[in-house]
Every structure is written in structure tokens, then in C-alpha cells.
Amino acid sequence: MKEIHINVSVSLLMPDELSAADLELVERAKAMTRNSYSPYSHFQVGAALRLADGTIYGGSNQENAAFPVGLCAERTAFFYAQAQAPDQPPAAIAIAAFTGGAFLAKPISPCGMCRQALLEAETRYGQPIRVLLYGTEGTYVINSVKELLPLTFDGSEMA
């Protein structure tokens, strides 16, 4: 048997260590939590996606009584951005979560469906998407969605 080790590089940055552009993206994601429609879980998630041209699109989770019918903040932001500017590749996404009257201390990461959708964009445009996961104790910075989904399924397997 051969064992394969997969290493993922994640940086933990404090607010004063974030660049102005990254801080702007995180603040936009935090603001987007207010637009969440989450009457069932009360777990408000916001996302902000920066395109290569610098434009930022926001999204928030949208729940439904039939839970699978809802949509996560990350895909809301991503799909909205792609509908408005399909020729612009995504460059970075920030994600924040608010519940119980406060932002989470530890960052949350995207669900599997969101990871797959963002990975598809990395593959489509041939460039990485930086991921910023906000928590009050610090922001995780990951340089590519592939880091979050190391054993990828990207459509090349279907050929």
C-alpha cells in the first residue's frame, strides 16, 4: 500500500495584516450577511466576489422551507457576477457568517457544492481564485479553491 499525503497551505491573518483590497472584500462579505434570508437556521452567511477587473459582487444565503431549494452565499455571489460579467474571471472571494448576534470566531468554509462551483470557475478561466474566510479571531487566506478541494473533479474525467 502506498500512502498519499495532501498538504494544504492556509494563512491566518489578523485584520491589520490584510491588504486594503482584501479588507474591503471581507468587510463587504460581512455587510452581505445582513441580506441573508435565513428564517429557519438563523445562520446568516455573506460572500463578496472580486472579479479580475476589480468589480465586487455580493451574495447572501437564501433559505427555503424545503431546505435543498435554498442557495448558499458563495454561489449567489458567483452566479450573479457571472450573469453580469461573464467575460471577467473571478479573482477572490470572501465569506463571513453571523449568528446569535455576532460574527463567528472561527472562519467557516464553503460547502462542497460551492467548492465545486468555484473550482469550475478556476478551470474555466485557468486561474486561481483566492479565498478569504473571515472569523473574529482572524481570516484564513487560501490561494486557490483547489486547496479546498484537493481531489478535484473538473470534467476532464468525462472526456
Side-chain angles (χ1 to χ4, degrees):
M1 175 177 82
K2 181 178 180 181
E3 210 171 290
I4 299 171
H5 296 273
I6 299 172
N7 297 312
V8 176
S9 179
V10 178
S11 300
L12 174 62
L13 280 76
M14 297 299 112
D16 63 332
E17 296 175 305
L18 291 170
S19 69
D22 285 348
L23 187 58
E24 176 187 28
L25 203 60
V26 166
E27 290 301 322
R28 180 75 176 271
K30 289 168 61 179
M32 290 306 301
T33 63
R34 293 190 300 268
N35 295 349
S36 167
Y37 178 71
S38 48
Y40 307 102
S41 71
H42 307 288
F43 193 78
Q44 300 166 267
V45 181
L49 182 80
R50 176 178 283 115
L51 300 180
D53 69 359
T55 306
I56 297 174
Y57 290 91
S60 58
N61 61 319
Q62 303 296 310
E63 292 182 352
N64 190 287
F67 280 121
V69 178
L71 195 61
C72 300
E74 300 90 330
R75 284 179 291 141
T76 302
F78 171 66
F79 293 152
Y80 179 59
Q82 291 297 277
Q84 301 303 311
D87 61 325
Q88 287 297 313
I93 188 167
I95 303 157
F98 186 91
T99 191
F103 285 99
L104 298 182
K106 303 267 188 229
I108 61 160
S109 62
C111 75
M113 285 191 292
C114 289
R115 291 176 195 213
Q116 187 66 40
L118 293 169
L119 176 67
E120 183 79 16
E122 279 193 352
T123 302
R124 174 181 174 190
Y125 292 103
Q127 64 184 56
I129 300 171
R130 288 181 69 242
V131 181
L132 298 106
L133 307 174
Y134 172 77
T136 60
E137 294 178 356
T139 299
Y140 293 163
V141 179
I142 300 106
N143 290 321
S144 170
V145 175
K146 283 185 182 177
E147 296 284 321
L148 293 173
L149 197 59
L151 299 173
T152 64
F153 178 76
D154 65 7
S156 63
E157 291 83 0
M158 298 167 61

